[in-house]
Amino acid sequence: MRPLLLVLSCLAVSANAAITISNVVDKTKYDAPRSYTVTADPNAATTTATLDGIASVVGAAVSVTAIGYHELRAESRTAGGTLVDTKFVRFITRDPSRGDTESGIPVFTPFRTVNDAPSAFAGKNLRVIAPAAWPVGLPIPVAVVLRDGADENVRLNGSVTFGGFPFSSLQMRRGWGSMLAPAAKAAGVLSVDARLNGLADNPAITIQSAPAFTAVSGSIAANTTWPANSRVHVTGTLTIEAGATLTVGAGTIVTVSTGDGTATSAAEIVVRGTLQVNGSRTSPVVFAPDTAGQSWGGIELPVATSVVSASNSIFYGSGEDATWFSTHSGYASHRPEQTLFLVAGSGSGTAVGAQLHLTECYCFSLTGQGMNGKTNTWVDIQRSLMQRAITCGELNGCKVTIDRSALIEFPSETAEFVDADNDALYMTGGDESITNTVIGFTKDDGIDTGGNGGDNPFTSGTDVTPFLSLNNWYEGAVHEGNSLSGTRNVTFTGCVFLNCGQGVEAGYSASATGDGPNAIVDGCLFVNNMVGVRWGDNYGSGYNYNPSMEVKNSLVLNSFYHDAFSGQWHPTQANAWIYQDATSTNTFGKPYFDVHNNYMSQSDAVHHPANVQWNPANPSHAFLLASFMPVPGSKVGVAVSSYSPAQNDIATYPGEFTVRLSTYSSLPVSVAWTVVGKSEPFADSETSLASGTVQFSPGETVKTISAPVANPSGFGVIRVVLSAPQNAEVTGEITYFRLPPTEVVARAGTGWRFRQTPSEPPSTWKQLGFDDSSASATEWLPATLPAGFGTFSGVTFGTTVASGPTGDRTRVFYFRRKFTVPSQSPIKTLTFRVRRDDGVIAWLNNGPTPIANSADGGVIPTPATYATLSPNATDTTTYFTFDVPISNLVSGQNILAVEVHQTSVTSSDLLMDCELIASFESPFALGLGKAAGEGFLYWSDPDATLEETVDFTAWAPLPGAASPFPITVSGLQKFYRLRK
């Protein structure tokens, strides 16, 4: 029986063997952080675990803070090594602020634009597009482009300055940019005087004091011409009827009546026939709102005969109705805002309906969207700019031809994250070709080719809709440079994807049996994205996945998470939560994710073995980058990349900085960095606080430097300086400086001690030397303001005090706060402000009289005791203000003491928050700093005026100039001084 018993014993061990994993379940998403515990198999000799291939603790909780997809594996073995049990759990940790957005990959905020090396601009041409004439009182629209000798776009970043607009500068992104310059105040000739790294363009704008505008509205039923240099005011809806053509001559200004966004609607232009706009490079046509700071409606193309054809024109300020698509049926739009161009007139069969043709047009600073198109229409954009709108638009089933253009900033390039469909373009269906175009700096996708557009009239009715992306530059998209979904064949050739959440993503299919999206990525470059190429996406129930994606002959480099990543998170679908690669095929027999014959920084011998490991030290590898560079082989810009404004409070000095290149380089790049500090903001000497060198291999664009400074607030100025660049030029540093102090004791501040004991306090409690923190003073507790109990509008208590019994409330609460003033002498005024319920008495340094006695309907009788009640407070929202004699303050340590009195022993609430504010004598001095890639001047004296000159013959005051005052290098030498 022994053998049988032995066999039964083994069976019992096997049946009871169990590793347990708690708090995470297979195929589940969690908000980060998320902890798990692997409990050892009690019937095995050893239990081991790994998280994402790295050994993990067994028997204790492990907290997972990293955002992304994780694989937790555990196994147990006998002493002899025999496998007893295994467990495998796949889960996702995500940033709760992003909800379901891009589950499976870490969050990503694109890095800020860095300007290119000035030397890279040599031989290029700066072109300014501005109206030849413009009325007084309206913002002046200005656009810029950077071109080479063949008049092709050059994809460089730079800051353009304007002699004609001395307080304005324009950030050029990849060779394109625009702005609304300040309105001119008087008639005359304004020389724009644009300068950029040795390049210049200086068109003249004739400022007109009161040009006569012809009011128009209603219907245009016959061919009509607005001659060159016309001044037209569209006062109400203007309709160009079918069969009629309105021709607009060069230099014409069209102002359109604005609305108030509610009952009074802005004017619109409805084109049923043809709108032909014939601007010229030197005299563009301009469509603009008639009132500064407000918006006009848009241009509608509602029928199949609608045609808008515009060249050398500027459109700005449209989109007045923020709910247009919510109140108009029959349209598809992810966003409700009105569009500049509504291309809605569908054709029939294979016939093209409404048509929008823009050539060398500049559409920017739009309140709403750029475009919206319906099936069987044609949107054609050539050598044009679409910039700063809610989104560039949504095109559904359209024919789309975009070439040599820029779709940038939707709505703007900032550090804030939003998830609100701010794509450059959203496209479904249609025959789409986008070539040689800059796309990006968006809060969502660069291009979202989403959904299923149905039959495509432009490809003989087939339901597989093509999209060609050729030689495009995708940059700065929070989510995807280009996302794909639905029924679609897509080819990417010669494209660049830089600084995006993901480069290209092949996502959900149109249906369970739909073929697509099918993507071919050939000869493209992916650099420093969170993910380079991705199969799958994050959608769950209701979505199906049949995409195929082939990536070949490309460079996929230095992704922050994965160069290539496969995963979709459908809760029940068979191909979900599995790494799909070329070994598995969809229902049409196409490999899911075939990544081969590429250079990649991250090798993956399991899923993508047929690729070459990128070696930046190999000249033949690095050379491959040159052809993708904006200027092959040029030096690149290097800067401290920060979204911080020009005024950087030294108290916010982070101690860690991102140093970034303007673009990747085919050459190794290095730059030395030094952190220097001044003891006072305007001191002459500096002290080196930290230093080092940053090196970038070919294909790297981002590095982090660590330079902590003990007590940064003890310095007047801290600068992060870059020097000695190799194969680069410094285009941005950063400066932090100590702001003139105002809050001596801050509102909602920490560091207070308070007493809630229902009795008279020690008589010395207001004195600086009183002990409120030792073991013998245990009745004094730490506090953060505001303090109190009960409910007050807009108040979240930093400290909730013990109120006492309902019928016998604590009568008085006592608060103390020590603070230090280095020197009393520079202080000019001192102010105490307090918000209270019911009444307060405040003392500074136990002076002979209180600095404040605040109670509604009078004051609290003094001297006050614990038994003294206050008049009832009816105003508990105001911060009441009291001037404090400077003589109450001392150099060094001070004590602020506040007693809060109740109005009755049955009071239902109590509140105290206060601040002590000083104004200081400011040094009369002028400082120079840099921040976020720009120079600035700073000063402290509020009575000083900044003046400038170019040759010392005449100094001109700069009215309204405030510290910090931004300055940029424009090629024009200027000098500055303070005067008072």
Side-chain angles (χ1 to χ4, degrees):
M1 295 295 294
R2 284 183 181 275
L4 180 59
L5 288 174
L6 179 60
V7 171
L8 291 174
S9 176
C10 289
L11 289 173
V13 169
S14 178
N16 294 329
I19 303 168
T20 60
I21 297 178
S22 59
N23 213 38
V24 290
V25 177
D26 192 36
K27 299 182 181 180
T28 309
K29 305 175 187 179
Y30 302 99
D31 288 344
R34 185 74 176 185
S35 64
Y36 67 83
T37 302
V38 177
T39 302
D41 186 342
N43 299 309
T46 61
T47 301
T48 58
T50 61
L51 179 69
D52 302 330
I54 300 174
S56 181
V57 173
V58 174
V62 176
S63 179
V64 181
T65 59
I67 307 298
Y69 168 77
H70 305 286
E71 294 185 350
L72 174 61
R73 298 178 184 271
E75 65 177 31
S76 60
R77 294 181 180 273
T78 66
T82 301
L83 182 66
V84 178
D85 190 23
T86 63
K87 289 288 189 299
F88 178 40
V89 175
R90 294 156 290 186
F91 66 98
I92 287 170
T93 48
R94 60 192 178 194
D95 186 331
S97 69
R98 297 209 175 191
D100 285 335
T101 301
E102 296 311 323
S103 296
I105 65 171
V107 298
F108 181 74
T109 298
F111 297 98
R112 183 181 181 273
T113 293
V114 168
N115 286 334
D116 279 282
S119 61
F121 291 79
K124 308 304 184 291
N125 299 311
L126 175 65
R127 181 184 302 159
V128 175
I129 299 90
W134 194 250
V136 166
L138 287 181
I140 304 173
V142 177
V144 296
V145 294
L146 185 66
R147 298 286 170 82
D148 62 14
D151 204 26
E152 296 291 342
N153 173 239
V154 182
R155 295 166 175 172
L156 294 175
N157 300 324
S159 183
V160 184
T161 60
F162 302 88
F165 313 112
F167 296 141
S168 301
S169 63
L170 184 158
Q171 178 62 56
M172 175 183 283
R173 290 174 174 83
R174 300 302 168 204
W176 299 84
S178 64
M179 72 174 187
L180 292 179
K185 297 180 180 179
V189 177
L190 189 155
S191 296
V192 172
D193 187 21
R195 296 173 182 268
L196 172 65
N197 295 325
L199 310 180
D201 192 18
N202 189 22
I205 303 175
T206 300
I207 303 299
Q208 301 172 334
S209 61
F213 279 78
T214 300
V216 299
S217 63
S219 176
I220 295 178
N223 292 344
T224 302
T225 298
W226 293 346
N229 303 311
S230 294
R231 300 292 179 262
V232 179
H233 183 200
V234 179
T235 58
T237 298
L238 178 68
T239 300
I240 304 168
E241 302 293 353
T245 297
L246 171 62
T247 302
V248 182
T252 293
I253 300 173
V254 181
T255 61
V256 188
S257 290
T258 58
D260 62 6
T262 55
T264 303
S265 297
E268 300 177 355
I269 300 173
V270 179
V271 182
R272 294 177 174 272
T274 299
L275 174 61
Q276 181 71 45
V277 185
N278 299 326
S280 69
R281 287 189 177 183
T282 56
S283 294
V285 174
V286 181
F287 289 76
D290 66 355
T291 305
Q294 297 188 32
S295 302
W296 57 289
I299 299 176
E300 294 188 31
L301 292 74
V303 295
T305 57
S306 302
V307 176
V308 172
S309 182
S311 61
N312 293 290
S313 300
I314 297 172
F315 301 83
Y316 83 86
S318 67
E320 179 265 349
D321 189 344
T323 62
W324 197 95
F325 284 95
S326 299
T327 57
H328 293 73
S329 61
Y331 303 91
S333 177
H334 282 64
R335 297 284 314 197
E337 294 88 355
Q338 189 172 18
T339 61
L340 170 58
F341 297 107
L342 179 66
V343 191
S346 298
S348 61
T350 59
V352 177
Q355 300 180 41
L356 171 66
H357 300 275
L358 302 178
T359 301
E360 299 214 26
C361 289
Y362 306 86
C363 310
F364 55 88
S365 298
L366 310 179
T367 304
Q369 305 184 65
M371 304 177 292
N372 186 280
K374 295 180 72 173
T375 303
N376 290 46
T377 61
W378 185 4
V379 173
D380 174 39
I381 301 176
Q382 305 291 318
R383 301 172 74 85
S384 294
L385 170 68
M386 308 288 286
Q387 184 175 19
R388 287 191 308 280
I390 298 298
T391 170
C392 185
E394 183 162 338
L395 305 176
N396 300 292
C398 304
K399 178 178 182 178
V400 179
T401 49
I402 301 177
D403 183 56
R404 289 170 167 79
S405 296
L407 318 177
I408 56 176
E409 281 199 289
F410 303 102
S412 60
E413 184 190 26
T414 62
E416 292 77 23
F417 168 77
V418 295
D419 184 26
D421 288 310
N422 299 112
D423 303 312
L425 273 182
Y426 185 93
M427 303 188 298
T428 62
D431 182 356
E432 297 147 357
S433 172
I434 302 180
T435 56
N436 307 299
T437 292
V438 177
I439 303 160
F441 308 101
T442 72
K443 294 298 185 185
D444 201 335
D445 302 331
I447 303 292
D448 187 342
T449 46
N452 180 32
D455 288 345
N456 172 24
F458 307 111
T459 53
S460 303
T462 177
D463 66 355
V464 179
T465 55
F467 169 40
L468 170 66
S469 181
L470 174 68
N471 297 334
N472 295 318
W473 183 290
Y474 298 81
E475 182 174 359
V478 169
H479 291 156
E480 291 82 41
N482 203 306
S483 66
L484 312 174
S485 53
T487 301
R488 184 176 300 281
N489 288 336
V490 186
T491 302
F492 297 92
T493 304
C495 295
V496 171
F497 297 84
L498 171 67
N499 193 29
C500 297
Q502 299 177 96
V504 174
E505 175 197 81
Y508 66 87
S509 303
S511 65
T513 58
D515 180 14
N518 302 308
I520 297 176
V521 180
D522 189 1
C524 294
L525 171 65
F526 300 81
V527 174
N528 282 143
N529 305 288
M530 181 58 70
V531 173
V533 289
R534 161 90 178 272
W535 182 94
D537 57 28
N538 63 292
Y539 296 103
S541 299
Y543 294 86
N544 296 279
Y545 291 86
N546 256 322
S548 69
M549 185 173 184
E550 182 182 15
V551 183
K552 59 185 178 180
N553 307 317
S554 297
L555 309 178
V556 190
L557 309 178
N558 300 313
S559 304
F560 302 117
Y561 189 48
H562 291 297
D563 284 346
F565 183 53
S566 169
Q568 57 95 353
W569 323 117
H570 195 290
T572 60
Q573 191 161 319
N575 66 352
W577 295 85
I578 300 170
Y579 197 105
Q580 302 290 359
D581 55 28
T583 63
S584 53
T585 58
N586 65 15
T587 56
F588 292 86
K590 300 172 183 176
Y592 278 127
F593 195 26
D594 188 4
V595 183
H596 65 92
N597 295 101
N598 304 288
Y599 290 85
M600 303 181 72
S601 297
Q602 302 169 4
S603 60
D604 188 343
V606 175
H607 300 296
H608 309 297
N611 293 286
V612 177
Q613 178 66 43
W614 172 255
N615 180 8
N618 185 329
S620 65
H621 287 204
F623 176 76
L624 298 173
L625 287 167
S627 62
F628 289 99
M629 294 179 64
V631 179
S634 70
K635 292 183 178 181
V636 297
V638 59
V640 178
S641 179
S642 170
Y643 283 101
S644 299
Q647 183 161 310
N648 293 277
D649 185 354
I650 203 163
T652 67
Y653 176 82
E656 189 172 271
F657 301 92
T658 298
V659 178
R660 184 168 180 256
L661 304 184
S662 57
T663 62
Y664 44 85
S665 175
S666 59
L667 301 171
V669 172
S670 66
V671 65
W673 60 269
T674 307
V675 177
V676 295
K678 292 182 179 181
S679 59
E680 293 297 331
F682 304 101
D684 293 329
S685 61
E686 291 182 317
T687 301
S688 177
L689 305 175
S691 62
T693 300
V694 177
Q695 296 180 329
F696 299 83
S697 298
E700 290 184 320
T701 65
V702 178
K703 293 288 188 178
T704 300
I705 61 175
S706 180
V709 172
N711 187 28
S713 296
F715 291 88
V717 173
I718 296 178
R719 297 191 300 133
V720 183
V721 181
L722 303 180
S723 62
Q726 299 295 315
N727 297 319
E729 295 171 16
V730 175
T731 58
E733 299 174 344
I734 194 164
T735 300
Y736 295 82
F737 63 97
R738 189 168 63 228
L739 303 177
T742 55
E743 289 185 323
V744 179
V745 176
R747 183 183 301 187
T750 60
W752 288 83
R753 307 286 291 182
F754 83 106
R755 181 181 185 271
Q756 59 188 5
T757 307
S759 63
E760 192 73 30
S763 61
T764 57
W765 78 274
K766 298 190 295 291
Q767 296 179 6
L768 178 64
F770 175 74
D771 182 3
D772 62 10
S773 59
S774 70
S776 62
T778 54
E779 65 182 9
W780 290 88
L781 306 173
T784 297
L785 301 188
F789 69 91
T791 301
F792 295 90
S793 175
V795 173
T796 299
F797 288 119
T799 299
T800 301
V801 304
S803 59
T806 303
D808 187 21
R809 296 299 196 199
T810 300
R811 276 60 160 181
V812 185
F813 294 81
Y814 300 89
F815 293 83
R816 291 168 43 87
R817 174 69 159 81
K818 294 179 181 179
F819 63 94
T820 299
V821 175
S823 175
Q824 177 204 31
S825 58
I827 297 178
K828 295 194 299 183
T829 64
L830 195 62
T831 304
F832 178 72
R833 295 192 179 116
V834 62
R835 179 180 179 183
R836 78 290 184 273
D837 184 305
D838 286 291
V840 300
I841 306 175
W843 309 80
L844 181 58
N845 291 322
N846 196 26
T849 58
I851 62 171
N853 188 321
S854 181
D856 285 9
V859 297
I860 301 171
T862 55
T865 67
Y866 173 75
T868 304
L869 296 176
S870 166
N872 181 54
T874 57
D875 184 350
T876 62
T877 60
T878 299
Y879 279 83
F880 294 93
T881 299
F882 300 86
D883 293 332
V884 180
I886 301 299
S887 57
N888 284 34
L889 201 65
V890 299
S891 298
Q893 199 167 43
N894 294 259
I895 180 72
L896 177 63
V898 180
E899 47 191 87
V900 186
H901 292 250
Q902 293 280 30
T903 190
S904 73
V905 296
T906 59
S907 176
S908 62
D909 49 22
L910 179 133
L911 170 66
M912 199 279 280
D913 191 16
C914 68
E915 61 186 350
L916 189 63
I917 299 174
S919 66
F920 288 74
E921 289 283 358
S922 301
F924 185 59
L926 185 62
L928 174 65
K930 288 185 178 180
E934 302 291 344
F936 64 90
L937 299 169
Y938 62 95
W939 60 96
S940 300
D941 193 323
D943 299 322
T945 299
L946 185 67
E947 297 182 336
E948 72 173 7
T949 184
V950 295
D951 55 10
F952 293 105
T953 60
W955 286 90
L958 300 176
S963 175
F965 178 78
I967 55 173
T968 51
V969 177
S970 64
L972 179 64
Q973 183 171 258
K974 292 183 179 181
F975 303 89
Y976 295 89
R977 72 182 184 186
L978 282 182
R979 185 183 187 89
K980 74 171 185 177

